Amino acid sequence: MKIKYLNKLIVFLLFFLICCSKEKEQNKPKDIPIEKYKKEVLMNGNINAYNKLTIYYLKSTFHNELLPYSILMADKYNHGDACHEIFVQIIGLKQAPGTQHYDISIFNKLNKGEKEYVLFYLKKGAKLKNIGCIVALRDLGISDKD
């Protein structure tokens, strides 16, 4: 049951991101070989390319376009930073547009399914010894041992 919900959430998020990116495609900076990094992440799980994508989208107004790449890196390549980035992205979707830093208290505004989804990745990242995930779980008052 949880897997079906997670799959539906992933499909919805991917559809949402694709629709949003097509509308604003003309505003993206063209000076970075971003497509090269995307391909490296998709084909090889290249951590360096993922890190470059993270920096690129952090500086961009299209920050949430990193989410599908983060999910891939977390699921297929067990990358702890990607697990934390999923948390940041989901929280970011609930924040006011233009907010620079995520507000951890927004976790309480997530619905049950979103909370389970985010906690799954935070706990996975904690098992991978990602400090961001460990700190987020501690700040939420949740054990990473469950």
Side-chain angles (χ1 to χ4, degrees):
M1 178 81 177
K2 288 182 183 180
I3 300 288
K4 287 183 181 181
Y5 180 79
L6 292 177
N7 288 338
K8 287 180 183 179
L9 182 62
I10 290 170
V11 170
F12 172 76
L13 290 172
L14 289 173
F15 178 76
F16 175 77
L17 294 173
I18 290 169
C19 290
C20 291
S21 68
K22 286 184 180 181
E23 289 178 14
K24 299 179 181 179
E25 192 72 35
Q26 67 275 8
N27 296 335
K28 285 187 179 181
K30 303 288 185 200
D31 56 344
I32 298 176
I34 201 69
E35 296 304 318
K36 175 183 167 192
Y37 300 143
K38 289 179 180 180
K39 185 176 179 182
E40 278 295 309
V41 169
L42 291 172
M43 303 303 284
N44 305 314
N46 184 314
I47 292 173
N48 187 43
Y50 176 75
N51 291 339
K52 290 183 188 271
L53 278 178
T54 302
I55 291 167
Y56 172 81
Y57 284 120
L58 184 64
K59 296 177 181 179
S60 167
T61 57
F62 307 99
H63 186 64
N64 290 333
E65 287 187 26
L66 183 63
L67 186 57
Y69 300 98
S70 298
I71 293 169
L72 174 76
M73 290 297 289
D75 288 346
K76 189 172 180 181
Y77 301 106
N78 293 315
H79 186 49
D81 288 342
C83 292
H84 184 257
E85 188 60 32
I86 292 168
F87 169 70
V88 171
Q89 292 290 315
I90 300 295
I91 294 296
L93 289 171
K94 300 290 184 175
Q95 289 188 166
T99 306
Q100 290 294 327
H101 301 286
Y102 71 90
D103 180 359
I104 201 162
S105 69
I106 290 181
F107 177 81
N108 295 323
K109 295 180 182 178
L110 300 177
N111 66 41
K112 182 181 177 187
E114 291 168 330
K115 285 180 182 177
E116 288 174 1
Y117 188 75
V118 166
L119 286 175
F120 170 80
Y121 284 106
L122 284 177
K123 289 177 181 180
K124 180 176 183 170
K127 286 179 185 172
L128 295 169
K129 310 267 190 261
N130 178 270
I131 192 69
C133 292
I134 294 167
V135 169
L137 285 169
R138 185 201 64 205
D139 290 347
L140 291 169
I142 298 170
S143 171
D144 61 346
K145 307 294 186 228
D146 298 336

